[in-house]
Amino acid sequence: MCCFSREVKSVTKTNIFARDSKSPKQFLAYSMNFSAAEDLAMILPIPVPKGTGEKELRFINLEKYPDFFVEMGNGFPKVASVKPSPDLKVVDVGAYEASFVPTINDFGRLDERFRLPAGTWEKLPQYRSFGFAVFKLKAGNDHKAHPMAFEFPRADPGKLFFPTVHIHDGLVHDKAKFDHTLYAQFVMAPATGWHQSRTPASMFMNIDKSEGLVDKVGHVHRQTIRGEQPNKDIEV
């Protein structure tokens, strides 16, 4: 789910990477270009087990690896481009300040600028049991900061979760314009819809800079999603 606490002018070139961590955890990395008139936050709902505590999500600093997704894309053949209570703890993660919000009720512990408008969550009952990774973003045009990344305990260890629901203007729309590239390393790859890298990840990525996100011996799989799509998250 790509949702923002304030209106954004544009969001493009979204990249998401997912991989199993030590069961039942999952790695996730996320990047996009965006333009905004004021400081805001990007909020990523994630399916965590009931009772997950504030300290159970581990943020990962990719400040020294801004080209994480550029190099990940190098593992695939080139294709023609397509246009398309107490306050919560705040952690410095490279260019970002980040917090993990364990439940919807904990949003009251965040600065008001970094919450969704009142009444939004009532329209999204599917996230009632989720936790939320919140990254504070600076106002400006065409930001291209390093990827946001973290490791989290997940409610269903049998699925990789990609947060792809859009809330860019405080409203929940049935459909949204996608400009997404999804990457994953699977224990067993899906039969259709995903393309495999030509070589193992260590042949085209800097594994040391990936901070444990990427398995060096595994291949990476990729799927692109463009245009108007149902506005929902993706699980594999």
Side-chain angles (χ1 to χ4, degrees), residues 37-196:
E38 58 181 322
D39 291 356
L40 70 166
M42 188 181 77
I43 302 166
L44 294 176
I46 45 178
V48 297
K50 185 176 181 180
T52 296
E54 181 183 338
K55 297 180 180 179
E56 294 185 57
L57 180 143
R58 179 173 69 92
F59 289 104
I60 298 170
N61 187 354
L62 291 182
E63 185 176 24
K64 295 181 179 179
Y65 201 2
D67 291 335
F68 178 89
F69 282 110
V70 174
E71 293 191 3
M72 187 163 280
N74 289 341
F76 298 83
K78 299 297 182 183
V79 295
S81 60
V82 180
K83 292 183 179 180
S85 316
D87 290 342
L88 287 168
K89 183 179 180 181
V90 176
V91 181
D92 287 322
V93 191
Y96 308 104
E97 290 183 346
S99 297
F100 175 52
V101 182
T103 71
I104 286 175
N105 293 333
D106 290 307
F107 269 103
R109 299 160 63 193
L110 277 182
D111 186 306
E112 186 178 354
R113 291 174 300 159
F114 308 123
R115 307 178 213 162
L116 288 179
T120 302
W121 294 119
E122 285 77 359
K123 302 171 187 174
L124 296 163
Q126 66 269 38
Y127 298 113
R128 218 170 268 148
S129 62
F130 276 45
F132 305 83
V134 178
F135 292 86
K136 299 178 182 179
L137 311 175
K138 296 290 186 181
N141 293 321
D142 201 25
H143 277 294
K144 299 175 183 177
H146 64 81
M148 296 160 271
F150 51 91
E151 179 186 27
F152 66 95
R154 52 186 165 165
D156 186 346
K159 294 180 179 178
L160 287 180
F161 177 80
F162 295 85
T164 51
V165 162
H166 295 49
I167 301 178
H168 294 176
D169 55 5
L171 302 175
V172 183
H173 302 280
D174 291 334
K175 290 190 174 183
K177 185 177 180 181
F178 277 64
D179 182 18
H180 288 48
T181 303
L182 308 184
Y183 294 94
Q185 286 184 301
F186 297 108
V187 175
M188 182 175 294
T192 59
W194 293 83
H195 301 283
Q196 182 174 286

Side-chain angles (χ1 to χ4, degrees), residues 13-17 29-32 69 179-183:
K13 299 181 180 178
T14 299
N15 294 281
I16 309 174
F17 170 75
Y30 195 111
S31 75
M32 77 286 183
F69 282 110
D179 182 18
H180 288 48
T181 303
L182 308 184
Y183 294 94

